[in-house]
Every structure is written in C-alpha cells, then in structure tokens.
Amino acid sequence: MEQQDFEYIEKYITGDLSEEEQSAFKNKMKSDTSLQEQVEEQRILIEAIQEQSLRATLDRIHKNTEESMTVKNIPLYKKSFMRYAIAASVVVLFVIGGITLSRKQNTHQKLFASFFTPDPGLPTTMSTTSEYVFYEAMVDYKQGDYEKAILKWNPLLKDKPTNDTLNYFLGVAHLASDNGDEAISFLEKTTGTTESYFLSDAYYYLGLAYLKSGNITSSKEALSQSNLPKSKEVLSKISNE
Amino acid sequence: MRNSNPLQTNHITGDILQAIKANDEDVFAMLYKKNYTKVASHILKNNGTIDQAKDVFQEALIAVWHNVRADKFVSESPSAIHGYLFTIAKNKWTDYLRSQRYKKTIISDDVMTNVKDDDVYETSESNVFEQRLEIAKKAFVHLGKECQSLLERFYYEKKSMQMIAQELALDPASARNKKYRCMQKLRELVNTPKLPK
C-alpha cells in the first residue's frame, strides 16, 4: 500500500474526511473488496495498538501501586514523618477511646498509656501469595482490630515459629489488646534474635510491656537495649520518679 | 498539574467516561487504586493467585474501556463505574473457574444459566475480527521500540503528528513517513505466518 492510500484510509477511519469525500469513499468501497479489506485491516491494527498501549499503561500503574506498598528495609525510627503523624493520630484515638480509663491507674500504667502507641504496621504488599495472609492480617491490625490480626497471625507461627517480624507484631498486637504477658513472650522471641531490624522497636515495646506490669527492673533493662529516642525518654521518666 | 490525589479530583463530578475515552492515564490509575485490592481479595479468596488477580483485573479494566468506548456503559452516576468494573472482574473469574472445573465434562445448563454474559466484553464484530485482533496484538509486541512509541503516541495518546514530530525531533514530513513505515512493518508482522514465541 502506498503512503497516500494509507493516509487516506486513516482519515476515513478517524472521520477526518469531508462529508463529500466520506460518501465517495464509501461508494468506492462497495464495489472494491480489496479496499474493504484494507480498511478492515487498518482498523484492526489501530485497535491492537491502542489495546497494547493501554496494557502497557496498566502494567506501569500496577508497578507504581506495588512499589508504593512494598516493604523497604529501613529501620522504623528512620522512616518518614508520616509514620509519626499516623502514630500521633493513633495516640489521640487511644486516649479518646479511653482504653485504660476503667482501671485505677498507677503512675507506671499512666506512663505506659502516655507512651504506648501500637507500631503503625507495615505497608501492605501484594507481591507474593505466600505472604498474603500475613498482610491481610496487617490490614486488620492497621484498622485497630488486633484480635482479628492475632487470630490470623497465630497459625503462621507453625511454619515460622522464630520469625522476628511475626513475633514482633504479635507482641505489639497483644500489648494493644491488653494482654501484657503474651506481649512479653512474643516480643522476647524477637529480641532473642540478634539480627532483626525490629530489634530496637521490640525492646522498646518490651520495656513498655514490663512497665505496664510493674516490673521496673526488666523494663529499664529492655529500654536500655533499644536505641530509639523515645526509649531513652521513657527511661529518663522512670528514673525521675 | 492535576490534583495529586486522583480519588478526589474532578473526575468524580467531571466526565469520567470522557476521560476513559481519551485514554487519560490519571483515570486509569484512579480506577486501579480504587478497585484492585477489592478484586484481588475476591480472587485470592476464591482459589486464585496474585498473578491471576492481576491478569483478571487488567482484563476487566480493558473490557470496561472497550464498553465505554462503544457506549455500552451509560452511567447514571459516576461511581457506578466501580461496581461495573468489579462485576466484570468477578464474572471473568467465575467464567475462568467454570472453564477449569467443567473442562472435559458435560456442561450442565443449570450451572451456565445464572452467568450473565452481558457485562462481559463482546464486540459486535465477528469472531474473525477477534482472532485477527489477537494476532495484531501479538505482532505489536514484536515491533521495534521506536515504532511502538511513535504509534502509541499517535493512536493511543492521540497526539497530533505535529506534536509527535516535535517530541521526536523530526520534521513533520519524516514523522508522517515514519508512521507509515511503522504501520507497514506491523502489517508485515501480522502477515508473517509464525511469530516468534
């Protein structure tokens, strides 16, 4: 096909011919089956280009969506301001929720309450199936449904009893649902591993868990193992009493 | 630039269907973000994998795009598009499960009657058209990157040849000539009996 013919057919398809030209072209097509076929073929090519371009666009969008949800290996305390903003809003919710109001609070529990905010959780990734349950539970966790999250995470321990991330979040979730003793046993599994990037966070929450239970010696010990600024802050508050 | 949060832009009040017809990437991203997780969790709950979820979701979105362009979807409210997308994805997954489960067995009429096919993408054109389109789609993938990019700009992004010439630092005549040659190349690939892979 010559370039001229090609461009004319294209104009016909895109509706860029004048009315007169359009009807003349249609008439010509009626008696010219090879022209009919050329038009049909060109339509198909254009359709294919559009659909494949859309596919490429969707893949790009998918990648971006996934990237924004992928876990990155940055220590938690180095993460952006947003985490703390979210954490702060959780504090507010907690205070409003008056989780500990029904109890007579001693100073340690007050201190605990003023410091405890559950870890904001991990971004939920959609990259692998095997981790799906973990991240599904993470969604519950982030929504504050700690008991549901615990129920979903518990079975995963069977395969990965020493997984630091799993034990860490189970610990924090238990602490958030007022099960101090369970929280301590899970968090100690995480602090028992030396390589975890949750180590400092785990020690921090462990310290808070002990503080809540009134075991100040263990609390101080745990907090001193954590290099989070807020751990030092809690430590100094305990010591100042 | 548009509002950075596409979920809250004027697409809601503005013409979402127009944006789809114009292949507006923002509107696709918005549809993606708003519906992917829901579709994926439906498929994962129903014996699917995350890769299948991605495929089904994208096929459903492409079906929505086809139907919107063919004016087969007329929305009463802009948010209806989300339900429409989810329904198509769900139906596609149901169809897939049925085709697996009932493969090589007798298809029971009872089972098939409650599937609503109307929502699934159908062209008014014949099956032959579909088959030829499939071949052309494969051919496009094997086209050189330069040609792909030029054709995408013109036919998908709907940019003018003048603008494309500028973007590619070509004079308008050679840009037009290049587009013609790229289309010829694509036509040849389509008519090659066996495409690699």
Side-chain angles (χ1 to χ4, degrees):
Chain A
M1 198 195 305
E2 296 299 319
Q3 184 165 353
Q4 246 178 323
D5 300 332
F6 161 79
E7 282 172 357
Y8 204 80
I9 291 175
E10 185 165 278
K11 278 187 182 165
Y12 169 72
I13 291 174
T14 53
D16 286 331
L17 293 178
S18 72
E19 237 172 84
E20 222 170 285
E21 290 168 323
Q22 194 90 4
S23 60
F25 190 86
K26 270 187 189 161
N27 273 334
K28 197 177 168 203
M29 265 208 304
K30 269 181 202 155
S31 55
D32 187 343
T33 50
S34 120
L35 184 59
Q36 279 170 28
E37 164 53 25
Q38 282 173 352
V39 172
E40 177 78 351
E41 184 178 47
Q42 203 149 319
R43 271 191 212 281
I44 290 169
L45 295 184
I46 293 172
E47 184 72 24
I49 294 164
Q50 293 188 330
E51 200 177 310
Q52 293 302 55
S53 303
L54 175 60
R55 239 170 250 276
T57 306
L58 295 183
D59 277 339
R60 200 165 54 237
I61 292 171
H62 188 91
K63 246 189 177 165
N64 289 342
T65 313
E66 218 173 36
E67 246 162 45
S68 70
M69 287 187 277
T70 302
V71 182
K72 297 206 172 77
N73 280 342
I74 305 166
L76 296 184
Y77 59 92
K78 279 191 186 160
K79 282 193 179 168
S80 67
F81 161 76
M82 266 314 281
R83 282 181 73 96
Y84 292 102
I86 294 164
S89 62
V90 175
V91 179
V92 172
L93 286 176
F94 257 70
V95 171
I96 292 169
I99 286 252
T100 50
L101 285 183
S102 59
R103 290 192 182 189
K104 187 175 174 283
Q105 296 179 349
N106 62 31
T107 39
H108 292 139
Q109 284 194 336
K110 271 187 194 154
L111 194 55
F112 167 81
S114 71
F115 271 90
F116 179 68
T117 56
D119 186 288
L122 296 176
T124 38
T125 172
M126 289 186 275
S127 51
T128 57
T129 322
S130 61
E131 291 177 330
Y132 178 71
V133 178
F134 176 78
Y135 286 105
E136 197 191 46
M138 184 58 77
V139 173
D140 295 320
Y141 172 91
K142 285 180 171 181
Q143 285 169 352
D145 200 341
Y146 302 109
E147 272 153 37
K148 208 167 173 187
I150 290 168
L151 282 178
K152 286 180 186 171
W153 276 330
N154 269 337
L156 301 180
L157 278 173
K158 223 187 279 169
D159 284 340
K160 298 176 174 174
T162 57
N163 182 284
D164 61 319
T165 312
L166 191 55
N167 279 298
Y168 171 70
F169 281 106
L170 271 166
V172 180
H174 275 295
L175 196 52
S177 11
D178 237 4
N179 309 324
D181 293 344
E182 269 106 334
I184 289 170
S185 82
F186 282 114
L187 289 168
E188 283 185 335
K189 278 188 199 156
T190 301
T191 56
T193 61
T194 45
E195 298 263 289
S196 173
Y197 77 73
F198 292 109
L199 209 54
S200 273
D201 295 87
Y203 273 120
Y204 170 70
Y205 284 111
L206 186 59
L208 287 184
Y210 277 126
L211 176 65
K212 188 176 188 307
S213 72
N215 187 342
I216 303 308
T217 319
S218 300
S219 173
K220 281 183 180 172
E221 204 178 300
L223 288 168
S224 62
Q225 299 280 322
S226 164
N227 56 17
L228 300 190
K230 54 188 179 181
S231 298
K232 300 201 169 69
E233 207 181 319
V234 183
L235 253 183
S236 73
K237 288 243 162 108
I238 299 175
S239 311
N240 285 344
E241 274 173 20
Chain B
M1 228 187 90
R2 248 179 261 240
N3 189 323
S4 58
N5 182 356
L7 297 181
Q8 273 153 30
T9 57
N10 45 11
H11 286 314
I12 286 171
T13 45
D15 209 329
I16 205 168
L17 302 185
Q18 250 355 86
I20 290 173
K21 284 181 185 175
N23 300 329
D24 177 343
E25 185 159 344
D26 284 356
V27 86
F28 293 133
M30 183 272 281
L31 287 170
Y32 219 101
K33 281 181 189 138
K34 209 164 168 170
N35 299 289
Y36 177 70
T37 318
K38 206 173 140 204
V39 168
S41 79
H42 172 79
I43 290 171
L44 289 166
K45 268 183 217 147
N46 290 282
N47 303 320
T49 66
I50 200 78
D51 288 337
Q52 285 171 324
K54 179 189 168 192
D55 287 347
V56 169
F57 180 76
Q58 293 197 353
E59 288 308 316
L61 191 39
I62 290 167
V64 168
W65 173 74
H66 274 292
N67 290 350
V68 167
R69 291 196 316 159
D71 291 320
K72 282 185 189 169
F73 172 79
V74 186
S75 80
E76 324 77 66
S77 81
S79 60
I81 192 90
H82 302 296
Y84 185 63
L85 173 57
F86 183 73
T87 307
I88 292 182
K90 218 173 87 183
N91 287 351
K92 276 186 184 291
W93 185 243
T94 308
D95 288 349
Y96 174 79
L97 288 180
R98 290 212 165 104
S99 70
Q100 292 292 96
R101 200 169 297 160
Y102 293 95
K103 202 188 270 175
K104 290 175 189 168
T105 64
I106 301 152
I107 296 170
S108 141
D109 274 349
D110 304 345
V111 177
M112 299 310 283
T113 40
N114 54 13
V115 189
K116 231 181 118 210
D117 275 326
D118 308 15
D119 287 332
V120 180
Y121 161 53
E122 292 169 285
T123 47
S124 48
E125 287 88 353
S126 64
N127 225 355
V128 180
F129 179 92
E130 280 299 298
Q131 285 168 6
R132 293 183 67 186
L133 181 58
E134 277 312 306
I135 295 169
K137 272 157 40 181
K138 284 198 185 111
F140 182 72
V141 176
H142 292 281
L143 203 59
K145 285 274 170 277
E146 270 188 36
C147 275
Q148 278 184 359
S149 155
L150 191 152
L151 296 179
E152 180 170 335
R153 284 165 209 247
F154 183 75
Y155 292 106
Y156 177 74
E157 292 170 18
K158 301 181 192 222
K159 287 179 177 161
S160 70
M161 275 320 281
Q162 210 173 351
M163 190 181 224
I164 295 171
Q166 233 169 33
E167 286 176 358
L168 302 179
L170 295 167
D171 62 273
S174 33
R176 266 174 59 197
N177 187 262
K178 196 167 178 188
K179 173 162 73 80
Y180 164 68
R181 278 186 285 117
C182 287
M183 284 298 267
Q184 288 293 84
K185 193 87 201 290
L186 182 58
R187 206 186 313 276
E188 277 164 30
L189 280 173
V190 167
N191 295 322
T192 310
K194 266 188 190 166
L195 283 168
K197 203 173 142 204

